[in-house]
Amino acid sequence: MVTADPAVMAGAVDLEADVSLCSERNAEAEDVVDDERGCKVEDEREDALTDELDGKREERTADEPEEEPEFEGFKVEPLVVADWIIPVSCDSDVANKPAITPNRNIVKAANVLRTSEIYPTKTSIELYLLFNDTFLILMGINDPLLHESDCTYVLVTGANSGLGFAICCRLLDEFIATRPASQSLRLIITTRDDKKSVSTLRRLKQHLARHPEKAQTRISCQPEQLDLISLHSVQVLAQKLLRTLPKIDCILLNAGVSGVTGINYPLAIWTVLTNLMAALTYPTYTVTGVGIITPSQIPDNHDLSNGSKTPHPPLAQVFCANVFGHYLLAHQLMPLLSQPMSAGRIIWISSIEAVGRSLSLADMQGLHTPRAYESSKRLTDVLALTSHLSSTRPFASRFFSPPESSRPAPYAPPPANTKTPAMYVAHPGVCATAIVPLPLILHSLMTLAFYLARWLGSPWHTIRAYKGACAPAWVALGSDEELDAACHGGRPRKWGSGTDRAGRERVVATAVEGQGEDGWEELGRRCWGEMENLRQEWEERLGGAGEV
């Protein structure tokens, strides 16, 4: 959970008094439910509660105007309203009271309120619900939550730096520029800790300040914590989002690690002198760790089948961070991605370095190769570009099926006519980010070399992360018709960010080695089969160890 600054806390002082009052009244209402389930709430009691709360709000408004929170436009609110009573049935016989059907939208709004930290706009309404004999006052439910069809929900992993942060900036810029003023964007950003979340929110606020104030109110930001090398962290986030979000329109699987520990400088100099463009586009002189695995995923290595303590199978760190953690997250969020009106989108962020020889089916996790990063990105290419094939359908269909009982109460199961999410893959070209650790002077020289490559005609040297975010943002926000029209012949493409010599950006279809050739479908079938088997094995381990 994000720990807001003191200035942010000040904005919640008045609301806390209301919530305290509301919590006391809800505790009393809960006693009524437990002791006298079939009784009606007395009119006088409800009126007294409402009058008292309204009077307190009027006094607060007159005497102590609310302070604006620090992150204006994002409405960061540290207070968490918990333990609300969310009944799932309605008594329509209560005299002189409106009967409200507890449909999914109302319950979603109530549940979002229960644990939400981020309020999208300055607009705040009160929603009075009457369920059986329990009278609830739910505060702080905003327009985008009640009118979810007008709000686009996008999740970006690894949003605190580099390409991930640039994708967030690009998404809000293009959303404001291309979508009607009646629509809003809810950006769910993941980082590994509170400090990075607060820093990312502050920088996004600074970027958003470039837009008119009215446009800023259309953007909301929700920070979440996620460590992709911890499958427990993945499942915790998935369960939280399932409880608190009505849907997810798009998820950009961006976070990851390179595994690079250094540079082989003699080889780098020789490669630059003999083949400059290859050296600056497909570097082979990086030094990486081999055989690095994640920390233990299960406390005390507790084996769930027989109660004995045995080591669980190792998970390669780069594979888990770049592929498997994302794979597990996307599967568990499938109830939010499966929409009745339009399909959600799953976008893998790949790399131009994902060449065919980097992936070995005998070592799919890349545990024994010095090219673990390239192997992981090649695997994402294969998964995304074969997900629609008949050869992969037995496995892909299991991945795209929402997990049973994954949506916690009080949510109803998704409608039977939901559409399967679409899977895409995009890459940023060649950016001068800090994913490869370099001293400042060498990073500056690398950036100059990238400019030289662009001037010599390379279409892939975007250099700046914001330009590298061109293709991912286009895939995320483009219309279905636009994306379908770009896929000539219906074959899925790998979309890359590119530029011309002058730095003018564009989205370019990128050739993927082996796609459409003999053996491509078999490669996809084996990759999907291995990933699904691995997912099911680990979900059983984590579930049996009480980690779900």
Side-chain angles (χ1 to χ4, degrees), residues 425-469:
V425 62
H427 72 84
V430 182
C431 298
T433 64
I435 192 170
V436 177
L438 289 175
L440 179 60
I441 182 63
L442 292 181
H443 188 274
S444 300
L445 291 174
M446 177 187 71
T447 303
L448 289 175
F450 285 173
Y451 275 107
L452 176 60
R454 179 196 287 177
W455 296 331
L456 291 176
S458 168
W460 298 123
H461 285 76
T462 51
I463 305 175
R464 290 180 55 217
Y466 188 83
K467 291 183 179 294

mmCIF file of all heavy atoms in Angstrom, residues 425-469:
data_model
loop_
_atom_site.group_PDB
_atom_site.id
_atom_site.type_symbol
_atom_site.label_atom_id
_atom_site.label_comp_id
_atom_site.label_asym_id
_atom_site.label_seq_id
_atom_site.Cartn_x
_atom_site.Cartn_y
_atom_site.Cartn_z
ATOM 1 N N VAL A 425 2.064 -8.397 -29.295
ATOM 2 C CA VAL A 425 3.452 -8.219 -28.883
ATOM 3 C C VAL A 425 4.001 -6.973 -29.568
ATOM 4 O O VAL A 425 3.703 -6.704 -30.743
ATOM 5 C CB VAL A 425 4.310 -9.466 -29.215
ATOM 6 C CG1 VAL A 425 4.358 -9.726 -30.727
ATOM 7 C CG2 VAL A 425 5.720 -9.324 -28.652
ATOM 8 N N ALA A 426 4.746 -6.178 -28.809
ATOM 9 C CA ALA A 426 5.332 -4.942 -29.333
ATOM 10 C C ALA A 426 6.728 -4.784 -28.755
ATOM 11 O O ALA A 426 7.073 -5.389 -27.730
ATOM 12 C CB ALA A 426 4.463 -3.731 -28.969
ATOM 13 N N HIS A 427 7.550 -3.980 -29.412
ATOM 14 C CA HIS A 427 8.887 -3.708 -28.878
ATOM 15 C C HIS A 427 9.223 -2.240 -29.087
ATOM 16 O O HIS A 427 8.651 -1.567 -29.957
ATOM 17 C CB HIS A 427 9.936 -4.616 -29.526
ATOM 18 C CG HIS A 427 10.249 -4.292 -30.950
ATOM 19 N ND1 HIS A 427 11.157 -3.318 -31.316
ATOM 20 C CD2 HIS A 427 9.790 -4.814 -32.119
ATOM 21 C CE1 HIS A 427 11.236 -3.256 -32.630
ATOM 22 N NE2 HIS A 427 10.407 -4.153 -33.144
ATOM 23 N N PRO A 428 10.159 -1.699 -28.283
ATOM 24 C CA PRO A 428 10.446 -0.263 -28.326
ATOM 25 C C PRO A 428 11.549 0.143 -29.277
ATOM 26 O O PRO A 428 11.955 1.314 -29.267
ATOM 27 C CB PRO A 428 10.867 0.015 -26.883
ATOM 28 C CG PRO A 428 11.568 -1.238 -26.477
ATOM 29 C CD PRO A 428 10.830 -2.363 -27.163
ATOM 30 N N GLY A 429 12.040 -0.788 -30.097
ATOM 31 C CA GLY A 429 13.232 -0.464 -30.873
ATOM 32 C C GLY A 429 14.451 -0.506 -29.974
ATOM 33 O O GLY A 429 14.537 -1.312 -29.044
ATOM 34 N N VAL A 430 15.400 0.381 -30.220
ATOM 35 C CA VAL A 430 16.628 0.447 -29.412
ATOM 36 C C VAL A 430 16.622 1.757 -28.648
ATOM 37 O O VAL A 430 16.746 2.836 -29.239
ATOM 38 C CB VAL A 430 17.882 0.347 -30.302
ATOM 39 C CG1 VAL A 430 19.141 0.370 -29.439
ATOM 40 C CG2 VAL A 430 17.839 -0.926 -31.149
ATOM 41 N N CYS A 431 16.448 1.656 -27.332
ATOM 42 C CA CYS A 431 16.378 2.842 -26.471
ATOM 43 C C CYS A 431 17.618 2.917 -25.588
ATOM 44 O O CYS A 431 18.168 1.891 -25.180
ATOM 45 C CB CYS A 431 15.139 2.804 -25.587
ATOM 46 S SG CYS A 431 13.581 2.801 -26.476
ATOM 47 N N ALA A 432 17.991 4.125 -25.252
ATOM 48 C CA ALA A 432 19.130 4.347 -24.357
ATOM 49 C C ALA A 432 18.630 4.411 -22.923
ATOM 50 O O ALA A 432 18.642 5.459 -22.274
ATOM 51 C CB ALA A 432 19.856 5.634 -24.735
ATOM 52 N N THR A 433 18.139 3.283 -22.418
ATOM 53 C CA THR A 433 17.653 3.225 -21.042
ATOM 54 C C THR A 433 18.728 2.605 -20.158
ATOM 55 O O THR A 433 19.795 2.198 -20.621
ATOM 56 C CB THR A 433 16.371 2.383 -20.955
ATOM 57 O OG1 THR A 433 16.669 1.026 -21.328
ATOM 58 C CG2 THR A 433 15.309 2.934 -21.890
ATOM 59 N N ALA A 434 18.416 2.519 -18.880
ATOM 60 C CA ALA A 434 19.382 2.012 -17.904
ATOM 61 C C ALA A 434 19.210 0.525 -17.652
ATOM 62 O O ALA A 434 19.681 0.016 -16.631
ATOM 63 C CB ALA A 434 19.242 2.777 -16.599
ATOM 64 N N ILE A 435 18.563 -0.213 -18.562
ATOM 65 C CA ILE A 435 18.393 -1.638 -18.341
ATOM 66 C C ILE A 435 19.734 -2.360 -18.359
ATOM 67 O O ILE A 435 19.917 -3.397 -17.739
ATOM 68 C CB ILE A 435 17.432 -2.244 -19.397
ATOM 69 C CG1 ILE A 435 17.027 -3.657 -18.978
ATOM 70 C CG2 ILE A 435 18.051 -2.229 -20.786
ATOM 71 C CD1 ILE A 435 15.918 -4.253 -19.809
ATOM 72 N N VAL A 436 20.726 -1.773 -19.073
ATOM 73 C CA VAL A 436 22.099 -2.266 -19.026
ATOM 74 C C VAL A 436 22.894 -1.302 -18.156
ATOM 75 O O VAL A 436 23.020 -0.121 -18.487
ATOM 76 C CB VAL A 436 22.721 -2.360 -20.431
ATOM 77 C CG1 VAL A 436 24.178 -2.799 -20.331
ATOM 78 C CG2 VAL A 436 21.924 -3.334 -21.298
ATOM 79 N N PRO A 437 23.439 -1.751 -17.020
ATOM 80 C CA PRO A 437 24.154 -0.848 -16.113
ATOM 81 C C PRO A 437 25.473 -0.368 -16.714
ATOM 82 O O PRO A 437 26.350 -1.174 -17.024
ATOM 83 C CB PRO A 437 24.377 -1.703 -14.865
ATOM 84 C CG PRO A 437 24.365 -3.121 -15.354
ATOM 85 C CD PRO A 437 23.409 -3.147 -16.513
ATOM 86 N N LEU A 438 25.598 0.944 -16.891
ATOM 87 C CA LEU A 438 26.811 1.540 -17.454
ATOM 88 C C LEU A 438 27.180 2.789 -16.664
ATOM 89 O O LEU A 438 26.297 3.506 -16.182
ATOM 90 C CB LEU A 438 26.596 1.920 -18.924
ATOM 91 C CG LEU A 438 26.472 0.805 -19.957
ATOM 92 C CD1 LEU A 438 26.136 1.401 -21.314
ATOM 93 C CD2 LEU A 438 27.755 -0.012 -20.039
ATOM 94 N N PRO A 439 28.457 3.085 -16.542
ATOM 95 C CA PRO A 439 28.859 4.380 -15.987
ATOM 96 C C PRO A 439 28.329 5.513 -16.854
ATOM 97 O O PRO A 439 28.050 5.328 -18.049
ATOM 98 C CB PRO A 439 30.395 4.315 -16.013
ATOM 99 C CG PRO A 439 30.732 2.865 -16.100
ATOM 100 C CD PRO A 439 29.610 2.222 -16.856
ATOM 101 N N LEU A 440 28.177 6.686 -16.249
ATOM 102 C CA LEU A 440 27.567 7.814 -16.944
ATOM 103 C C LEU A 440 28.280 8.141 -18.249
ATOM 104 O O LEU A 440 27.639 8.377 -19.278
ATOM 105 C CB LEU A 440 27.554 9.036 -16.028
ATOM 106 C CG LEU A 440 26.960 10.317 -16.639
ATOM 107 C CD1 LEU A 440 25.514 10.090 -17.049
ATOM 108 C CD2 LEU A 440 27.065 11.473 -15.647
ATOM 109 N N ILE A 441 29.606 8.153 -18.239
ATOM 110 C CA ILE A 441 30.350 8.513 -19.440
ATOM 111 C C ILE A 441 30.107 7.498 -20.558
ATOM 112 O O ILE A 441 29.928 7.871 -21.725
ATOM 113 C CB ILE A 441 31.860 8.643 -19.140
ATOM 114 C CG1 ILE A 441 32.620 9.070 -20.387
ATOM 115 C CG2 ILE A 441 32.413 7.344 -18.564
ATOM 116 C CD1 ILE A 441 32.239 10.429 -20.909
ATOM 117 N N LEU A 442 30.051 6.209 -20.200
ATOM 118 C CA LEU A 442 29.802 5.188 -21.218
ATOM 119 C C LEU A 442 28.365 5.233 -21.710
ATOM 120 O O LEU A 442 28.094 4.981 -22.892
ATOM 121 C CB LEU A 442 30.136 3.799 -20.656
ATOM 122 C CG LEU A 442 31.624 3.525 -20.382
ATOM 123 C CD1 LEU A 442 31.805 2.107 -19.855
ATOM 124 C CD2 LEU A 442 32.448 3.721 -21.648
ATOM 125 N N HIS A 443 27.442 5.563 -20.813
ATOM 126 C CA HIS A 443 26.046 5.697 -21.241
ATOM 127 C C HIS A 443 25.907 6.847 -22.231
ATOM 128 O O HIS A 443 25.173 6.737 -23.231
ATOM 129 C CB HIS A 443 25.151 5.926 -20.028
ATOM 130 C CG HIS A 443 23.688 5.886 -20.338
ATOM 131 N ND1 HIS A 443 22.982 6.995 -20.788
ATOM 132 C CD2 HIS A 443 22.784 4.863 -20.294
ATOM 133 C CE1 HIS A 443 21.732 6.661 -21.000
ATOM 134 N NE2 HIS A 443 21.575 5.382 -20.707
ATOM 135 N N SER A 444 26.618 7.941 -21.993
ATOM 136 C CA SER A 444 26.578 9.079 -22.917
ATOM 137 C C SER A 444 27.171 8.704 -24.267
ATOM 138 O O SER A 444 26.624 9.074 -25.326
ATOM 139 C CB SER A 444 27.334 10.264 -22.312
ATOM 140 O OG SER A 444 26.754 10.655 -21.080
ATOM 141 N N LEU A 445 28.272 7.963 -24.246
ATOM 142 C CA LEU A 445 28.884 7.522 -25.505
ATOM 143 C C LEU A 445 27.963 6.559 -26.256
ATOM 144 O O LEU A 445 27.867 6.609 -27.485
ATOM 145 C CB LEU A 445 30.234 6.854 -25.220
ATOM 146 C CG LEU A 445 31.347 7.785 -24.735
ATOM 147 C CD1 LEU A 445 32.583 6.972 -24.350
ATOM 148 C CD2 LEU A 445 31.696 8.819 -25.801
ATOM 149 N N MET A 446 27.293 5.685 -25.512
ATOM 150 C CA MET A 446 26.348 4.760 -26.139
ATOM 151 C C MET A 446 25.224 5.534 -26.824
ATOM 152 O O MET A 446 24.814 5.211 -27.949
ATOM 153 C CB MET A 446 25.776 3.813 -25.089
ATOM 154 C CG MET A 446 24.726 2.845 -25.620
ATOM 155 S SD MET A 446 23.901 1.871 -24.334
ATOM 156 C CE MET A 446 22.893 3.146 -23.549
ATOM 157 N N THR A 447 24.712 6.569 -26.154
ATOM 158 C CA THR A 447 23.642 7.371 -26.736
ATOM 159 C C THR A 447 24.096 8.054 -28.013
ATOM 160 O O THR A 447 23.367 8.078 -29.025
ATOM 161 C CB THR A 447 23.159 8.420 -25.720
ATOM 162 O OG1 THR A 447 22.738 7.762 -24.517
ATOM 163 C CG2 THR A 447 21.991 9.227 -26.283
ATOM 164 N N LEU A 448 25.295 8.600 -28.022
ATOM 165 C CA LEU A 448 25.836 9.221 -29.240
ATOM 166 C C LEU A 448 25.974 8.196 -30.358
ATOM 167 O O LEU A 448 25.690 8.492 -31.530
ATOM 168 C CB LEU A 448 27.189 9.867 -28.939
ATOM 169 C CG LEU A 448 27.153 11.132 -28.065
ATOM 170 C CD1 LEU A 448 28.586 11.581 -27.754
ATOM 171 C CD2 LEU A 448 26.396 12.247 -28.783
ATOM 172 N N ALA A 449 26.401 6.986 -30.008
ATOM 173 C CA ALA A 449 26.534 5.925 -31.012
ATOM 174 C C ALA A 449 25.167 5.558 -31.586
ATOM 175 O O ALA A 449 25.036 5.273 -32.785
ATOM 176 C CB ALA A 449 27.200 4.703 -30.395
ATOM 177 N N PHE A 450 24.144 5.585 -30.758
ATOM 178 C CA PHE A 450 22.793 5.294 -31.240
ATOM 179 C C PHE A 450 22.324 6.364 -32.229
ATOM 180 O O PHE A 450 21.672 6.053 -33.246
ATOM 181 C CB PHE A 450 21.818 5.207 -30.069
ATOM 182 C CG PHE A 450 21.935 3.938 -29.262
ATOM 183 C CD1 PHE A 450 21.219 3.776 -28.076
ATOM 184 C CD2 PHE A 450 22.748 2.895 -29.673
ATOM 185 C CE1 PHE A 450 21.300 2.622 -27.343
ATOM 186 C CE2 PHE A 450 22.859 1.723 -28.936
ATOM 187 C CZ PHE A 450 22.126 1.589 -27.760
ATOM 188 N N TYR A 451 22.631 7.619 -31.944
ATOM 189 C CA TYR A 451 22.290 8.687 -32.890
ATOM 190 C C TYR A 451 23.017 8.472 -34.216
ATOM 191 O O TYR A 451 22.449 8.694 -35.293
ATOM 192 C CB TYR A 451 22.633 10.054 -32.315
ATOM 193 C CG TYR A 451 21.552 10.624 -31.430
ATOM 194 C CD1 TYR A 451 21.713 10.675 -30.045
ATOM 195 C CD2 TYR A 451 20.356 11.097 -31.974
ATOM 196 C CE1 TYR A 451 20.725 11.192 -29.231
ATOM 197 C CE2 TYR A 451 19.363 11.616 -31.164
ATOM 198 C CZ TYR A 451 19.544 11.654 -29.788
ATOM 199 O OH TYR A 451 18.558 12.162 -28.989
ATOM 200 N N LEU A 452 24.274 8.048 -34.144
ATOM 201 C CA LEU A 452 25.029 7.769 -35.369
ATOM 202 C C LEU A 452 24.348 6.664 -36.177
ATOM 203 O O LEU A 452 24.225 6.768 -37.407
ATOM 204 C CB LEU A 452 26.459 7.369 -35.007
ATOM 205 C CG LEU A 452 27.360 6.953 -36.179
ATOM 206 C CD1 LEU A 452 27.515 8.094 -37.184
ATOM 207 C CD2 LEU A 452 28.725 6.485 -35.670
ATOM 208 N N ALA A 453 23.902 5.602 -35.491
ATOM 209 C CA ALA A 453 23.222 4.510 -36.182
ATOM 210 C C ALA A 453 21.948 5.003 -36.853
ATOM 211 O O ALA A 453 21.632 4.606 -37.988
ATOM 212 C CB ALA A 453 22.902 3.386 -35.187
ATOM 213 N N ARG A 454 21.225 5.887 -36.185
ATOM 214 C CA ARG A 454 20.005 6.430 -36.790
ATOM 215 C C ARG A 454 20.348 7.242 -38.030
ATOM 216 O O ARG A 454 19.680 7.122 -39.063
ATOM 217 C CB ARG A 454 19.253 7.297 -35.779
ATOM 218 C CG ARG A 454 17.982 7.918 -36.364
ATOM 219 C CD ARG A 454 17.469 9.053 -35.511
ATOM 220 N NE ARG A 454 16.859 8.578 -34.279
ATOM 221 C CZ ARG A 454 16.384 9.394 -33.339
ATOM 222 N NH1 ARG A 454 16.467 10.708 -33.483
ATOM 223 N NH2 ARG A 454 15.840 8.895 -32.250
ATOM 224 N N TRP A 455 21.340 8.087 -37.942
ATOM 225 C CA TRP A 455 21.726 8.917 -39.088
ATOM 226 C C TRP A 455 22.231 8.083 -40.256
ATOM 227 O O TRP A 455 22.116 8.487 -41.414
ATOM 228 C CB TRP A 455 22.791 9.925 -38.666
ATOM 229 C CG TRP A 455 22.295 10.916 -37.653
ATOM 230 C CD1 TRP A 455 21.022 11.360 -37.498
ATOM 231 C CD2 TRP A 455 23.079 11.560 -36.641
ATOM 232 N NE1 TRP A 455 20.934 12.237 -36.450
ATOM 233 C CE2 TRP A 455 22.184 12.398 -35.900
ATOM 234 C CE3 TRP A 455 24.422 11.535 -36.269
ATOM 235 C CZ2 TRP A 455 22.610 13.171 -34.832
ATOM 236 C CZ3 TRP A 455 24.839 12.313 -35.205
ATOM 237 C CH2 TRP A 455 23.938 13.128 -34.490
ATOM 238 N N LEU A 456 22.768 6.890 -39.954
ATOM 239 C CA LEU A 456 23.237 5.996 -41.011
ATOM 240 C C LEU A 456 22.100 5.173 -41.619
ATOM 241 O O LEU A 456 22.336 4.385 -42.541
ATOM 242 C CB LEU A 456 24.318 5.061 -40.464
ATOM 243 C CG LEU A 456 25.653 5.734 -40.093
ATOM 244 C CD1 LEU A 456 26.607 4.717 -39.472
ATOM 245 C CD2 LEU A 456 26.285 6.388 -41.310
ATOM 246 N N GLY A 457 20.894 5.348 -41.101
ATOM 247 C CA GLY A 457 19.747 4.706 -41.736
ATOM 248 C C GLY A 457 19.052 3.631 -40.932
ATOM 249 O O GLY A 457 18.103 3.006 -41.432
ATOM 250 N N SER A 458 19.464 3.379 -39.684
ATOM 251 C CA SER A 458 18.768 2.370 -38.885
ATOM 252 C C SER A 458 17.352 2.831 -38.573
ATOM 253 O O SER A 458 17.152 3.939 -38.082
ATOM 254 C CB SER A 458 19.514 2.113 -37.569
ATOM 255 O OG SER A 458 18.710 1.345 -36.691
ATOM 256 N N PRO A 459 16.345 1.983 -38.829
ATOM 257 C CA PRO A 459 14.965 2.379 -38.526
ATOM 258 C C PRO A 459 14.574 2.114 -37.077
ATOM 259 O O PRO A 459 13.476 2.485 -36.661
ATOM 260 C CB PRO A 459 14.150 1.490 -39.458
ATOM 261 C CG PRO A 459 14.967 0.238 -39.565
ATOM 262 C CD PRO A 459 16.405 0.673 -39.509
ATOM 263 N N TRP A 460 15.447 1.464 -36.297
ATOM 264 C CA TRP A 460 15.058 0.986 -34.970
ATOM 265 C C TRP A 460 15.604 1.808 -33.818
ATOM 266 O O TRP A 460 15.221 1.574 -32.675
ATOM 267 C CB TRP A 460 15.507 -0.467 -34.796
ATOM 268 C CG TRP A 460 14.891 -1.409 -35.763
ATOM 269 C CD1 TRP A 460 15.535 -2.239 -36.626
ATOM 270 C CD2 TRP A 460 13.492 -1.622 -35.987
ATOM 271 N NE1 TRP A 460 14.644 -2.956 -37.374
ATOM 272 C CE2 TRP A 460 13.374 -2.593 -36.997
ATOM 273 C CE3 TRP A 460 12.340 -1.090 -35.436
ATOM 274 C CZ2 TRP A 460 12.136 -3.042 -37.452
ATOM 275 C CZ3 TRP A 460 11.106 -1.524 -35.889
ATOM 276 C CH2 TRP A 460 11.014 -2.497 -36.881
ATOM 277 N N HIS A 461 16.494 2.743 -34.052
ATOM 278 C CA HIS A 461 17.103 3.468 -32.945
ATOM 279 C C HIS A 461 16.225 4.648 -32.533
ATOM 280 O O HIS A 461 16.430 5.787 -32.951
ATOM 281 C CB HIS A 461 18.525 3.896 -33.309
ATOM 282 C CG HIS A 461 19.497 2.761 -33.269
ATOM 283 N ND1 HIS A 461 19.558 1.813 -34.253
ATOM 284 C CD2 HIS A 461 20.411 2.414 -32.332
ATOM 285 C CE1 HIS A 461 20.482 0.909 -33.945
ATOM 286 N NE2 HIS A 461 21.021 1.258 -32.784
ATOM 287 N N THR A 462 15.241 4.341 -31.702
ATOM 288 C CA THR A 462 14.336 5.370 -31.186
ATOM 289 C C THR A 462 15.039 6.231 -30.127
ATOM 290 O O THR A 462 14.660 7.374 -29.907
ATOM 291 C CB THR A 462 13.092 4.720 -30.567
ATOM 292 O OG1 THR A 462 13.503 3.712 -29.630
ATOM 293 C CG2 THR A 462 12.242 4.068 -31.642
ATOM 294 N N ILE A 463 15.993 5.645 -29.432
ATOM 295 C CA ILE A 463 16.880 6.298 -28.442
ATOM 296 C C ILE A 463 16.109 6.747 -27.212
ATOM 297 O O ILE A 463 16.362 6.270 -26.108
ATOM 298 C CB ILE A 463 17.667 7.471 -29.067
ATOM 299 C CG1 ILE A 463 18.435 6.974 -30.314
ATOM 300 C CG2 ILE A 463 18.621 8.085 -28.038
ATOM 301 C CD1 ILE A 463 19.142 8.070 -31.073
ATOM 302 N N ARG A 464 15.186 7.686 -27.356
ATOM 303 C CA ARG A 464 14.402 8.155 -26.221
ATOM 304 C C ARG A 464 13.282 7.151 -25.911
ATOM 305 O O ARG A 464 12.611 6.648 -26.814
ATOM 306 C CB ARG A 464 13.800 9.527 -26.493
ATOM 307 C CG ARG A 464 14.806 10.663 -26.547
ATOM 308 C CD ARG A 464 14.093 11.973 -26.818
ATOM 309 N NE ARG A 464 13.034 12.208 -25.839
ATOM 310 C CZ ARG A 464 11.864 12.777 -26.135
ATOM 311 N NH1 ARG A 464 11.591 13.141 -27.382
ATOM 312 N NH2 ARG A 464 10.963 12.977 -25.183
ATOM 313 N N ALA A 465 13.091 6.901 -24.616
ATOM 314 C CA ALA A 465 12.068 5.931 -24.216
ATOM 315 C C ALA A 465 10.673 6.372 -24.654
ATOM 316 O O ALA A 465 9.827 5.527 -24.973
ATOM 317 C CB ALA A 465 12.115 5.725 -22.700
ATOM 318 N N TYR A 466 10.419 7.680 -24.683
ATOM 319 C CA TYR A 466 9.094 8.156 -25.079
ATOM 320 C C TYR A 466 8.800 7.779 -26.532
ATOM 321 O O TYR A 466 7.674 7.398 -26.869
ATOM 322 C CB TYR A 466 9.004 9.674 -24.904
ATOM 323 C CG TYR A 466 7.613 10.228 -25.108
ATOM 324 C CD1 TYR A 466 6.674 10.213 -24.078
ATOM 325 C CD2 TYR A 466 7.227 10.760 -26.339
ATOM 326 C CE1 TYR A 466 5.389 10.716 -24.267
ATOM 327 C CE2 TYR A 466 5.952 11.264 -26.538
ATOM 328 C CZ TYR A 466 5.036 11.237 -25.502
ATOM 329 O OH TYR A 466 3.768 11.726 -25.697
ATOM 330 N N LYS A 467 9.805 7.880 -27.390
ATOM 331 C CA LYS A 467 9.611 7.431 -28.773
ATOM 332 C C LYS A 467 9.493 5.912 -28.834
ATOM 333 O O LYS A 467 8.743 5.368 -29.651
ATOM 334 C CB LYS A 467 10.776 7.909 -29.641
ATOM 335 C CG LYS A 467 10.818 9.419 -29.865
ATOM 336 C CD LYS A 467 11.952 9.801 -30.804
ATOM 337 C CE LYS A 467 11.982 11.310 -31.038
ATOM 338 N NZ LYS A 467 10.791 11.792 -31.780
ATOM 339 N N GLY A 468 10.217 5.215 -27.956
ATOM 340 C CA GLY A 468 10.109 3.761 -27.906
ATOM 341 C C GLY A 468 8.741 3.280 -27.471
ATOM 342 O O GLY A 468 8.346 2.149 -27.767
ATOM 343 N N ALA A 469 8.007 4.144 -26.762
ATOM 344 C CA ALA A 469 6.667 3.780 -26.306
ATOM 345 C C ALA A 469 5.612 3.958 -27.393
ATOM 346 O O ALA A 469 4.430 3.679 -27.152
ATOM 347 C CB ALA A 469 6.294 4.623 -25.087
#
